Amino acid sequence: MVFSRSSSQDVKSRAKAGAAVAQSRAYQAKAAAVRAQELARQAAATQVAPLARSAQEKAGRGLLEARAWTAPRVEAGGVVVQERLAPAVSAAIVTAARRIEPVKARRRRWPLIVVGVVVLGAGCAATAQVLRSRRNAASMAASDPATPPPMPPATPAESQEMTDAPHADVNGQVRTP
């Protein structure tokens, strides 16, 4: 197939004209879409906004109703937990603690008794010693009331004699140098 030049120029010009028509129609379609979008926005603002506000108000009322219905039930549940469940749980915990606690070792009392006997014996021995020393002092005072107190030695020789002689103490015991 052979086309002539005139026909190819003719096709080109028709194509350009068709492209121009298509482009103008595309612009018109775009403008129509923008107008439709703007109309949709306006319709949404005028029709949907009040619906949205009423839906919000209804949801708020529903929430308040739900809270009013729920509050007494939650309170009753808290009372049940406090009066019935908590004592049972507490008793279970105390029972478990008593089971876990190790058995206490019995204290032996014989060391305490031995200590008491030793202290009592030491006290009796000290008392006997004090009474014995008082009795010896009293017997010494009663048996020798006329004995004059000893005189200090006048000379060094007498002093030597006194140190060599046995001495009797107040409690009646005799010491030798």
Side-chain angles (χ1 to χ4, degrees), residues 70-156:
T70 305
R73 285 157 181 80
V74 170
E75 184 178 356
V79 170
V80 167
V81 166
Q82 184 179 3
E83 292 178 356
R84 294 182 188 165
L85 188 61
V89 170
S90 175
I93 290 172
V94 169
T95 302
R98 288 184 180 152
R99 287 182 189 163
I100 293 170
E101 186 178 15
V103 177
K104 293 181 182 177
R106 294 182 65 188
R107 288 185 53 195
R108 296 184 180 180
R109 293 185 184 176
W110 66 268
L112 187 61
I113 293 171
V114 169
V115 168
V117 168
V118 168
V119 168
L120 184 63
C124 289
T127 303
Q129 182 65 30
V130 167
L131 291 176
R132 192 176 313 135
S133 67
R134 284 185 184 171
R135 186 178 51 199
N136 285 344
S139 68
M140 289 287 282
S143 67
D144 199 15
T147 307
M151 297 295 283
T155 63

Side-chain angles (χ1 to χ4, degrees), residues 13 35 48 83 111 131 155 175:
S13 66
R35 274 180 278 172
V48 176
E83 292 178 356
L131 291 176
T155 63
R175 287 187 296 145

